[in-house]
Amino acid sequence: MKELLRPARLAPGARVAVVAPSGPVPEERLQAGLDVLRGWDLDPVVAPHVLDRHREFAYLAGTDADRAADLQQAWCDPSVDAVLCARGGYGVQRMADLLDWEAMRAAGPKVFVGFSDITALHEAFAVRLGLVTLHGPMAAGADFIKNARAQEHLKATLFAPETVRVISSGGTALVPGRARGVTLGGCLALLAAELGTPHARPSAAGGLLCLEDVGEETYRLDRYLTQLLRADWLEGVAGVLLGSWEECGAPGRVRALLADRLGPLGVPVAEDFGFGHCAGASTIPFGVAAELDAQAGTLTLDRPALR
């Protein structure tokens, strides 16, 4: 697995577009997030359909076509330096095939931020655009607007990425050891759901795989991991970083499952790495070469996430 193209870091005054590719966005949370971004001396612009609601399916932020158009227009706008997702939920997979990937590639690299359901776009941006993306908090996320640590880690990554080349978990090693590879991953359920699609990697071989999820019963996590194993998607993975597993069952039971499914891979596995659906989540760049030290609980990037 090779490193991907790094977009340019942001500077004060940068124009950032906020889009909603997945679920509906509460207006008051959006406004709070925009205030945070303005406080960083950014110039946030809200895509036209961010506050839309789908007439029939209340879990979608407007129609598939409108959500895709918002993302594509923001990405292809030369005045926009970064595209930030407003929230996750569900819906990316419904609109990914409506995007003009050739036009987006021609628009050139820029910063892209999101997590959860946005995992499907992280995969697509890697496969279709060959671009480093940031698995980090979203503009209208409660975990962003109410948590100073999450804000500061994202801000540092955007403006001064050389200051966050070492990302520390404070956690422990499920399987000790060191490994080198290129970062990738996201929400476990989405990675399993993306198998076999044209927007997803055929394998995690050579990668440092970051996994997390929320609100999934333990047996469902088992199903997703088993699907990835049966599809040989985890064959050759260099190491694994485990994020948060909020509302996924008793921690001891989840840990036992992760050890059962991932331990036989024979690669380092670091747990409690502090990314995903948790308070104070770290921003993890995907597509960057790095070294994982599972016992020390550190991910050391070869180069800053952004140029």
Side-chain angles (χ1 to χ4, degrees):
M1 186 175 295
K2 64 180 182 180
E3 275 192 292
L4 302 180
L5 180 65
R6 295 178 301 149
R9 71 186 65 196
L10 299 186
R15 198 162 188 247
V16 298
V18 178
V19 300
S22 302
V25 179
E27 185 172 5
E28 66 281 1
R29 289 206 334 227
L30 175 64
Q31 294 304 324
L34 296 175
D35 287 343
V36 173
L37 298 176
R38 292 187 187 105
W40 296 354
D41 200 16
L42 293 173
D43 176 21
V45 292
V46 178
H49 300 284
V50 165
L51 294 174
D52 282 8
R53 299 288 191 276
H54 195 286
R55 290 183 179 181
E56 187 172 4
F57 305 122
Y59 50 80
L60 297 173
T63 67
D64 299 340
D66 285 342
R67 297 195 320 279
D70 274 4
L71 174 56
Q72 185 165 320
Q73 289 167 14
W75 193 263
C76 294
D77 183 342
S79 73
V80 169
D81 301 295
V83 175
L84 279 57
C85 295
R87 62 155 296 193
Y90 169 76
V92 163
Q93 290 182 299
R94 291 178 53 121
M95 53 76 85
D97 295 326
L98 303 179
L99 295 166
D100 184 338
W101 291 102
E102 290 305 314
M104 292 175 66
R105 177 186 285 273
K110 57 187 67 177
V111 176
F112 179 75
V113 186
F115 78 105
S116 195
D117 190 59
I118 309 304
T119 295
L121 284 175
H122 284 298
E123 281 287 284
F125 274 54
V127 171
R128 295 293 191 180
L129 306 183
L131 193 64
V132 167
T133 55
L134 301 180
H135 181 278
M138 294 178 280
D143 50 348
F144 172 65
I145 59 180
K146 296 181 179 180
N147 193 286
R149 184 184 183 281
Q151 291 176 20
E152 288 306 311
H153 199 264
L154 175 59
K155 182 182 179 183
T157 304
L158 293 174
F159 288 95
E162 67 281 349
T163 67
V164 283
R165 278 186 55 191
V166 178
I167 302 171
S168 300
S169 71
T172 56
L174 193 64
V175 180
R178 293 187 178 193
R180 289 192 51 80
V182 175
T183 55
L184 77 158
C187 184
L188 173 59
L190 267 296
L191 292 171
E194 281 289 286
L195 279 177
T197 72
H199 305 305
R201 290 177 177 87
S203 167
L208 294 177
L209 179 60
C210 302
L211 295 175
E212 64 91 33
D213 217 317
V214 64
E216 297 283 1
E217 294 185 48
T218 310
Y219 81 89
R220 292 181 182 271
L221 300 179
D222 190 330
R223 177 192 296 161
Y224 304 142
L225 288 167
T226 300
Q227 172 70 356
L228 295 177
L229 289 164
R230 293 181 69 211
D232 290 332
W233 196 79
L234 295 175
E235 187 72 28
V237 70
V240 181
L241 294 78
L242 301 174
S244 61
W245 305 97
E246 296 290 322
E247 302 173 25
C248 289
R253 191 171 182 224
V254 172
R255 187 176 193 273
L257 168 68
L258 295 168
D260 176 83
R261 297 283 75 192
L262 299 174
L265 293 173
V267 301
V269 180
E271 55 185 343
D272 299 324
F273 222 90
F275 61 86
H277 296 80
C278 58
S282 296
T283 297
I284 308 286
F286 288 165
V288 178
E291 180 176 80
L292 168 67
D293 185 331
Q295 205 145 3
T298 57
L299 177 71
T300 303
L301 309 178
D302 283 8
R303 288 180 282 187
L306 305 177
R307 291 185 282 113

